[in-house]
Amino acid sequence: MPLFLKERKSLTILIALIFFHFLLISMQVPLGEKASIFEKTVFSVFSPVRHGILSFFRSIGNVWNNYFYLRNVQGQNEQMKEQIFYLQQENNLLRNALQKFRSEREIEENLLEMHESILPSRVIGLDPSNFYKSVIINRGTLDGIKKNMVVLDKNGDLVGRIVDAISLKEARVQMITDNESGISVFAEGNRIRGILVGDGEGQCLMRYVLATTTAEEISEGEDVITSGYDRIYPSGIRVGRIVSITTDTSLHKHIVVIPYFDFRYLDQIAVIMKDPQEFFKD
Amino acid sequence: MRLNDFIRVAIGILISFLFYTIFSRVSPSFLLLFNVFSLVVFYFAVKKGEIFGSCLGTVCGLFQDYFFSGVYGVAGLSKTISGFLAGYLSKKIDVQTPLRNFFFLIILLSFELILWALLFSFIVPESISTGGGLIFFQPVATAVLGTFAHFLLKKFKKDKY
């Protein structure tokens, strides 16, 4: 084929591909954050591939563990890990309940209910624009995932909330480090209230704490926990620790909070399978 | 295109997929520093030409978009154009020596990163996370990895035959 014809063919293919991409992008943009039918379809089609690859490597890991590394001990270890996972969640709830000064019976009932409503999940995807914005987990509508369900890490510390169930087996979690998230919180010491927002760089800022608040009322090292006033996150969940408090000329203090969940170990997480409104029935 | 090429491309994509899966667990910073999907695209674009490069750019870009759960087509478009350029330019200039290969990769990776950033900023009304400036080292770090991989592949082929 003559060179100019070949180059023309190449350019035609390139233009066709560019057109295809623009079409693809335009299909998604108008819906903004909400997943489009296209996106849901792609996720439904390709998620088995990703699950397959992850399962394949987990299987290889399991073979190694099971046949070359103390088979029985490993089994026990896995069991204990699972127990710890549930115990940590329960411990978290227990502390929540204690803070509410509820009766022992109510606490027991809550514990039982909580144990049944925890859904262990795994993180399988990240957000390209910002790793601290959102993650994709391997649970979806098929598992009963709904918008605004609370997500905790394996220690029971707050990670974020479900913003969208993308497919049957995948959902998007907005993390508390996202600069578009907002959580009603208070500092544990004197219960000074504020709104926690992410800074998009892995930390959070506790906003709207008046500059006139004294060092005795709020100080560095204090735990920050959810207050429940946003009617999404139930009260008493551990969020992070205050690492710096500064005051400038503005009306409010600049308070930096380090989240308790560690992004590096955000492999296993727990979704609280309870409609957020159920937490606020009382 | 022969069956062997399909298998090679599949292996390349699989390696990139594994890289992203494993290193996203270790540290997200690795994903900012290395763009392995681009290396696969450029490698095959140089070997097979601009049509192959642009088509593979589309596939790898969509894989990357899928992997990061972003807007589908952003990485795809930038990889398609840079894959085309890689195939086209490699026919005009020799990029087989390590030094030439290194600079060729740096230029294309920088071009792709700029294109991706422009498209992303245009489509998504959010600022791009630079990972504390780490993303600016992506072309150099990926080019080093690519040149090293290219050297190893060449050595492997020499030993084989």
Side-chain angles (χ1 to χ4, degrees):
Chain A
M1 191 187 289
L3 189 66
F4 75 94
L5 276 180
K6 207 178 171 189
E7 286 195 350
R8 206 171 150 183
K9 189 184 161 196
S10 308
L11 272 175
T12 313
I13 290 172
L14 178 69
I15 290 164
L17 286 172
I18 290 172
F19 180 75
F20 163 73
H21 281 102
F22 277 125
L23 200 69
L24 201 62
I25 292 165
S26 65
M27 282 167 77
Q28 301 160 78
V29 171
L31 286 170
E33 213 174 77
K34 200 180 171 204
S36 62
I37 295 167
F38 166 76
E39 200 175 347
K40 284 185 176 178
T41 313
V42 172
F43 263 92
S44 302
V45 172
F46 281 102
S47 62
V49 178
R50 188 189 283 180
H51 285 298
I53 287 174
L54 286 172
S55 305
F56 174 71
F57 281 94
R58 273 192 207 121
S59 311
I60 290 174
N62 286 342
V63 167
W64 173 264
N65 287 333
N66 291 337
Y67 291 97
F68 298 99
Y69 183 72
L70 300 170
R71 193 173 172 175
N72 293 330
V73 176
Q74 181 65 20
Q76 282 174 351
N77 191 25
E78 286 300 319
Q79 232 175 6
M80 282 166 80
K81 268 185 190 169
E82 200 172 314
Q83 276 177 351
I84 289 170
F85 181 77
Y86 284 114
L87 285 169
Q88 277 165 337
Q89 305 295 334
E90 287 171 2
N91 182 32
N92 186 46
L93 182 87
L94 188 63
R95 283 199 284 136
N96 296 351
L98 280 171
Q99 273 169 355
K100 286 180 184 169
F101 302 106
R102 282 185 175 169
S103 70
E104 204 172 306
R105 198 181 147 192
E106 275 179 310
I107 293 169
E108 285 298 325
E109 280 172 2
N110 270 351
L111 276 177
L112 191 68
E113 200 184 324
M114 190 67 152
H115 195 287
E116 286 164 1
S117 63
I118 292 168
L119 181 71
S121 317
R122 281 185 183 277
V123 173
I124 55 167
L126 307 161
D127 192 312
S129 63
N130 192 331
F131 294 123
Y132 302 107
K133 197 170 177 60
S134 65
V135 289
I136 305 291
I137 59 168
N138 67 340
R139 303 286 187 185
T141 46
L142 210 61
D143 304 288
I145 294 282
K146 286 180 189 157
K147 194 179 175 180
N148 285 342
M149 279 180 171
V150 177
V151 179
L152 309 176
D153 74 352
K154 56 186 172 188
N155 299 317
D157 301 323
L158 188 64
V159 173
R161 67 182 175 109
I162 302 287
V163 282
D164 196 11
I166 305 166
S167 69
L168 295 175
K169 291 301 278 180
E170 290 184 338
R172 194 191 305 274
V173 177
Q174 181 190 45
M175 295 199 286
I176 57 170
T177 45
D178 178 8
N179 48 14
E180 285 175 17
S181 85
I183 309 159
S184 175
V185 292
F186 56 75
E188 207 171 24
N190 282 304
R191 302 210 158 205
I192 299 292
R193 270 180 271 161
I195 302 292
L196 193 89
V197 294
D199 70 349
E201 298 286 336
Q203 293 185 333
C204 300
L205 302 170
M206 188 171 163
R207 289 198 173 146
Y208 309 115
V209 176
L210 287 174
T212 50
T213 313
T214 61
E216 285 76 40
E217 288 174 309
I218 190 164
S219 57
E220 288 169 14
E222 270 185 44
D223 279 340
V224 173
I225 53 179
T226 54
S227 70
Y229 295 139
D230 50 28
R231 301 191 73 79
I232 293 175
Y233 300 97
S235 66
I237 301 176
R238 274 163 36 107
V239 178
R241 194 180 71 252
I242 296 174
V243 287
S244 104
I245 304 174
T246 48
T247 312
D248 50 24
T249 51
S250 72
L251 278 173
H252 302 109
K253 281 184 182 294
H254 183 83
I255 302 173
V256 180
V257 176
I258 294 258
Y260 276 125
F261 82 82
D262 192 330
F263 194 86
R264 289 170 299 172
Y265 308 113
L266 207 62
D267 187 29
Q268 195 180 26
I269 54 168
V271 181
I272 308 301
M273 299 295 289
K274 208 171 170 182
D275 196 304
Q277 292 314 311
E278 283 182 43
F279 287 113
F280 305 100
K281 268 182 183 171
D282 306 338
Chain B
M1 191 170 153
R2 291 172 302 172
L3 185 66
N4 264 358
D5 295 329
F6 267 118
I7 295 168
R8 281 182 189 142
V9 168
I11 290 171
I13 293 172
L14 189 68
I15 289 171
S16 311
F17 219 97
L18 294 181
F19 180 91
Y20 278 86
T21 311
I22 295 163
F23 283 99
S24 64
R25 293 273 180 269
V26 179
S27 167
S29 310
F30 278 106
L31 306 187
L32 280 179
L33 206 53
F34 299 106
N35 194 340
V36 187
F37 276 117
S38 295
L39 288 182
V40 175
V41 174
F42 297 153
Y43 176 77
F44 285 103
V46 170
K47 279 189 80 167
K48 298 278 164 193
E50 65 266 27
I51 297 178
F52 197 94
S54 51
C55 292
L56 188 60
T58 299
V59 175
C60 283
L62 291 178
F63 263 114
Q64 193 169 311
D65 283 328
Y66 164 72
F67 197 87
F68 282 124
S69 68
V71 176
Y72 286 89
V74 176
L77 185 54
S78 51
K79 274 191 172 42
T80 300
I81 295 171
S82 50
F84 181 88
L85 274 179
Y88 184 79
L89 291 175
S90 64
K91 283 197 298 197
K92 312 276 176 197
I93 49 171
D94 175 28
V95 291
Q96 291 306 315
T97 61
L99 196 68
R100 277 168 176 261
N101 187 271
F102 177 69
F103 284 110
F104 179 69
L105 282 177
I106 282 191
I107 292 165
L108 282 171
L109 286 160
S110 305
F111 170 77
E112 190 197 318
L113 183 65
I114 293 166
L115 193 62
W116 176 81
L118 285 173
L119 282 167
F120 194 92
S121 312
F122 184 69
I123 292 158
V124 185
E126 286 168 15
S127 55
I128 298 163
S129 169
T130 59
L134 211 59
I135 201 168
F136 301 117
F137 293 98
Q138 191 191 78
V140 178
T142 312
V144 170
L145 184 72
T147 310
F148 183 65
H150 189 244
F151 169 76
L152 282 182
L153 275 172
K154 270 178 113 175
K155 199 170 158 44
F156 174 73
K157 274 185 185 165
K158 252 186 201 171
D159 290 346
K160 204 175 168 187
Y161 304 107

